[in-house]
Amino acid sequence: MRAPVSLDAKIGRGGLDRALCKVTDVSLHGARIQTYSEVRANSMIWLALPRIGHVAARVVWSNDFEAGLEFVTPLTSEAFEILTA
């Protein structure tokens, strides 16, 4: 189940937060983000989510300033509730 959200987050590699992004929807297994810098399909990133922390994700698809992510480890129900509250 996907839930629409509007969350300010950061994306990075190797634990370093590099670029701002906005999470526009989220599910237990992934998220859609709006980016201000390019992310490449099939790359691995860290998504720093508010009140949750860093989540490892694979970029499933990417175009212009939007991307779809699949989390390496699904979110817990509790984390999902925090993000969608």
Side-chain angles (χ1 to χ4, degrees), residues 37-51:
S37 58
E38 181 184 27
V39 292
R40 295 197 174 156
N42 295 315
S43 63
M44 296 298 295
I45 65 166
W46 286 99
L47 181 64
L49 292 167
R51 298 175 54 206

Side-chain angles (χ1 to χ4, degrees), residues 26-30 49 51-52 55 71 73-84:
V26 67
S27 73
L28 293 176
H29 299 279
L49 292 167
R51 298 175 54 206
I52 301 297
V55 178
F71 300 140
T73 302
L75 295 177
T76 64
S77 298
E78 294 80 14
F80 181 78
E81 292 289 324
I82 289 168
L83 292 174
T84 58

Side-chain angles (χ1 to χ4, degrees), residues 10-84:
K10 292 181 182 174
I11 53 177
R13 289 203 180 93
L16 299 175
D17 295 338
R18 293 188 9 205
L20 295 174
C21 68
K22 184 169 287 290
V23 180
T24 57
D25 75 33
V26 67
S27 73
L28 293 176
H29 299 279
R32 178 188 306 246
I33 61 171
Q34 290 178 341
T35 63
Y36 308 103
S37 58
E38 181 184 27
V39 292
R40 295 197 174 156
N42 295 315
S43 63
M44 296 298 295
I45 65 166
W46 286 99
L47 181 64
L49 292 167
R51 298 175 54 206
I52 301 297
H54 289 82
V55 178
R58 182 176 68 87
V59 180
V60 178
W61 60 267
S62 174
N63 63 31
D64 294 336
F65 297 102
E66 197 171 44
L69 307 178
E70 178 182 32
F71 300 140
V72 171
T73 302
L75 295 177
T76 64
S77 298
E78 294 80 14
F80 181 78
E81 292 289 324
I82 289 168
L83 292 174
T84 58

